[in-house]
């Protein structure tokens, strides 16, 4: 979504496309022309279908959306769908039928395309926002730690597990905090000043991870956090914070950015 905007109207987006048209590359101009001339197609068709009709790659549609401040094509497509829903009562059923009708056969190609769109958008956001300096600093924190404790539950659990797996393969002493048996607090209490906590949580923040992070901070230990926004309770107490995977453009928020970040840090450890 463009910065400072809530739900942008179709008219506002159309005007911005018109104003920027001459500055766009030929491929993006092709998309812009289709968006202005065939908005219904943009509202109802999948990324793959639109790309095929315009003889472009699906990734070009994502790049077009990013040119206008959106995290991915799915987010921009909502503007075209809202135009139909608000302007034509009969279109509401068509849009919803394509998205949520449980009694109809699923368009698995469209579902796959939407999922890939969200994952790619998260990865591209990671590439754009994470600095090499921050990666170097995080790698140093991991390398200097005598033992690395990793906290993550719910959506963050697979990220925590992957990071622990990679660190173990890199022969770095590490432990996943044991929330299941209620031993996480005891593990944190046993942390030494030379140890490090990697805390991972996203909206809605799991209270157990928030509490563990606060306990670690109050005991004066170092914290590296992976979270979504600066207002996150993890961000308040961490020495270094990475903001990843904060897209809300799909039913299930992606974890691709966090996984890529973890892989980068693990690989970086092997090169230092």
């Amino acid at each position: 979504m463009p910065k400072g905007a809530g739900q942008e109207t179709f008219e506002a987006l159309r005007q911005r496309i018109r104003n920027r048209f001459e500055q766009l590359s030929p491929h993006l101009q092709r998309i812009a022309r289709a968006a202005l001339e065939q908005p219904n197609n943009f509202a109802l068709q999948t990324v793959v279908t639109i790309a095929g009709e315009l003889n472009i790659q699906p990734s070009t549609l994502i790049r077009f959306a990013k040119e206008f401040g959106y995290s991915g094509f799915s987010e921009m497509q909502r503007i075209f769908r809202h135009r139909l829903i608000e302007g034509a009562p009969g279109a509401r059923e068509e849009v919803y039928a394509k998205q949520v009708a449980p009694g109809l056969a699923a368009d698995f190609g469209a579902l796959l395309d939407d999922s890939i769109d969200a994952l790619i958008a998260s990865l591209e956001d990671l590439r754009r926002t994470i600095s090499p300096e921050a990666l170097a600093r995080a790698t140093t924190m991991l390398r200097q730690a005598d033992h690395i404790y990793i906290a993550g539950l719910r959506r963050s659990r697979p990220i925590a597990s992957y990071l622990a797996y990679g660190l173990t393969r890199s022969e770095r002493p590490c432990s996943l905090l044991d929330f299941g048996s209620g031993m996480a607090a005891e593990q944190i209490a046993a942390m030494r000043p030379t140890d490090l906590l990697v805390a991972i949580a996203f909206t809605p923040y799991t209270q157990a991870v928030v509490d563990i992070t606060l306990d670690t901070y109050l005991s004066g230990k170092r914290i590296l956090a992976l979270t979504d926004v600066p207002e996150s309770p993890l961000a308040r107490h961490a020495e270094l914070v990475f903001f990843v995977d904060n897209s809300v453009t799909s039913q299930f928020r992606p974890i691709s950015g966090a996984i890529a970040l973890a892989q980068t840090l693990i690989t970086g450890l092997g090169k230092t």
Side-chain angles (χ1 to χ4, degrees):
M1 189 72 61
K3 290 183 178 180
Q7 175 70 58
E8 184 176 29
T9 66
F10 172 75
E11 290 302 323
L13 175 59
R14 181 168 64 175
Q15 190 58 50
R16 289 203 297 131
I17 293 174
R18 287 170 173 167
N19 294 341
R20 292 277 309 282
F21 185 85
E22 297 300 331
Q23 304 168 20
L24 300 175
S25 68
H27 277 169
L28 296 188
Q29 284 185 353
R30 188 181 307 170
I31 298 172
R33 189 175 294 108
L36 295 174
E37 296 175 354
Q38 305 168 25
N40 289 357
N41 289 347
F42 267 60
L44 299 173
Q45 293 181 346
T46 68
V47 171
V48 171
T49 299
I50 296 171
E53 291 182 352
L54 297 178
N55 195 27
I56 58 173
Q57 293 296 319
S59 60
T60 308
L61 284 165
I62 299 172
R63 184 155 55 90
F64 177 78
K66 286 180 175 295
E67 282 286 331
F68 292 92
Y70 291 88
S71 63
F73 183 75
S74 295
E75 187 178 19
M76 175 180 274
Q77 191 175 44
R78 290 181 180 180
I79 306 303
F80 291 87
R81 287 174 173 167
H82 275 290
R83 166 188 170 272
L84 272 184
I85 292 170
E86 293 173 358
R92 181 181 291 105
E93 287 71 22
E94 186 175 0
V95 173
Y96 287 170
K98 286 178 175 289
Q99 290 185 303
V100 298
L104 300 178
D107 184 348
F108 288 105
L111 293 175
L112 176 62
D113 184 68
D114 286 345
S115 296
I116 292 173
D117 191 7
L119 295 173
I120 290 174
S122 182
L123 291 169
E124 291 186 344
D125 186 65
L126 180 76
R127 191 202 308 271
R128 185 175 63 253
T129 59
I130 303 300
S131 71
E133 292 78 15
L135 292 170
R137 184 180 170 194
T139 302
T140 298
M141 292 174 66
L142 293 168
R143 186 176 64 253
Q144 291 177 343
D146 287 338
H147 196 97
I148 301 164
Y149 294 87
I150 308 170
L153 288 171
R154 299 175 63 178
R155 170 186 169 210
S156 303
R157 192 62 176 181
I159 305 166
S161 297
Y162 181 77
L163 179 59
Y165 164 77
L167 291 172
T168 301
R169 288 288 304 271
S170 301
E171 299 183 350
R172 303 282 172 173
C174 69
S175 301
L176 275 172
L177 291 186
D178 188 359
F179 292 98
S181 64
M183 294 299 296
E186 283 75 8
Q187 288 176 285
I188 291 300
M191 282 183 67
R192 297 162 294 180
T194 53
D195 295 338
L196 173 71
L197 172 67
V198 179
I200 310 170
F202 306 91
T203 306
Y205 309 102
T206 307
Q207 191 60 47
V209 176
V210 174
D211 291 343
I212 285 295
T213 303
L214 178 58
D215 290 345
T216 305
Y217 170 76
L218 293 176
S219 67
K221 309 303 190 305
R222 306 181 79 185
I223 303 170
L224 170 65
L226 278 64
T227 188
D228 46 5
V229 293
E231 295 77 21
S232 163
L234 270 62
R236 302 171 194 162
H237 306 304
E239 180 178 330
L240 178 62
V241 185
F242 290 104
F243 300 111
V244 295
D245 290 329
N246 58 1
S247 170
V248 293
T249 62
S250 59
Q251 181 180 0
F252 295 99
R253 293 191 178 193
I255 62 171
S256 52
I259 292 293
L261 177 60
Q263 183 173 340
T264 302
L265 295 175
I266 294 165
T267 306
L269 277 174
K271 296 182 180 298
T272 57

